[in-house]
Amino acid sequence: MKKIPLAEGVKLKSILTKKIQELISEIHLVSHAVVEKGEKPNPSGRPLNEVEKELAQVRKDSRTLDKLIYRANIDNTISFKGEELPIVEAIELASQLRAEASLYKDLGKEERERLYSTSDNIIFYQVAMYDPAEYRNRANELEKDAHRLSNLINAKNYQVEIEFDDSNYF
């Protein structure tokens, strides 16, 4: 069987998902016809059973590809900060690093914010209970880590191969 890089498999998965939606739309299109009373409908496009057959094959290929991608993401690892992580865990870690960086960016914005003033000319402030500059720095480091990890994942996705015949789609 033909082998393709895992990265190509991931791209192909999105292509198959789109193809499934297109075939479902085609089924809706070819399954009905508007005709004048007493007239016979003229087929527009392919026969319904032909489209259904293609849809079934694309769905089967999509499931097979999912299985192969999941297996490859579990069986292959990435070295990051002295730790071996399965690709699936590395993907989740990269997402978590980005989320944490986003939180820390928010914390790093302002030290103090004016809230409101009362009729007695008393002004209230919301004051940070931490050093915002420290959180800005931490956010930058977390973003760098997320980028490094994403680059490692992308590189690994081109190294790992899965057995899938993509000739029907490329």
Side-chain angles (χ1 to χ4, degrees):
M1 172 156 288
K2 184 178 176 187
K3 289 188 175 194
I4 61 171
L6 178 56
E8 186 178 314
V10 171
K11 289 177 193 171
L12 180 56
K13 177 61 182 160
S14 68
I15 291 169
L16 293 182
T17 300
K18 184 178 177 190
K19 181 75 172 169
I20 288 168
Q21 293 307 313
E22 289 170 355
L23 289 168
I24 290 170
S25 293
E26 186 177 353
I27 284 174
H28 288 293
L29 182 68
V30 301
S31 62
H32 295 84
V34 177
V35 294
E36 207 175 306
K37 185 176 180 178
E39 295 293 316
K40 291 187 176 188
N42 289 327
S44 61
R46 300 188 289 168
L48 179 59
N49 64 347
E50 186 180 312
V51 182
E52 288 176 315
K53 184 178 176 183
E54 184 179 348
L55 177 60
Q57 183 60 51
V58 174
R59 282 181 167 159
K60 182 177 187 300
D61 287 346
S62 180
R63 290 191 312 273
T64 300
L65 193 55
D66 267 347
K67 178 180 67 175
L68 294 170
I69 290 169
Y70 294 155
R71 176 59 45 211
N73 282 341
I74 291 169
D75 291 346
N76 293 279
T77 62
I78 291 172
S79 294
F80 183 70
K81 291 192 165 194
E83 192 175 354
E84 286 294 315
L85 303 171
I87 295 173
V88 67
E89 186 178 354
I91 292 168
E92 179 60 25
L93 177 56
S95 294
Q96 290 175 0
L97 289 170
R98 284 189 192 91
E100 194 172 0
S102 178
L103 171 64
Y104 288 177
K105 277 184 176 183
D106 286 344
L107 291 173
K109 285 182 182 170
E110 294 285 333
E111 266 187 70
R112 135 182 142 159
E113 178 181 338
R114 183 177 177 165
L115 294 178
Y116 58 90
S117 125
T118 65
S119 60
D120 297 332
N121 290 327
I122 299 173
I123 300 172
F124 291 92
Y125 291 94
Q126 179 174 319
V127 180
M129 303 297 290
Y130 55 89
D131 179 8
E134 178 186 332
Y135 279 86
R136 281 191 297 274
N137 292 337
R138 287 169 69 181
N140 289 335
E141 289 307 311
L142 287 167
E143 275 188 331
K144 288 177 188 177
D145 283 347
H147 294 319
R148 281 186 211 106
L149 184 53
S150 290
N151 287 341
L152 291 171
I153 292 166
N154 289 337
K156 190 66 157 191
N157 282 345
Y158 282 99
Q159 292 171 356
V160 173
E161 291 188 326
I162 56 176
E163 287 189 13
F164 187 83
D165 183 3
D166 63 352
S167 61
N168 288 335
Y169 307 102
F170 290 118

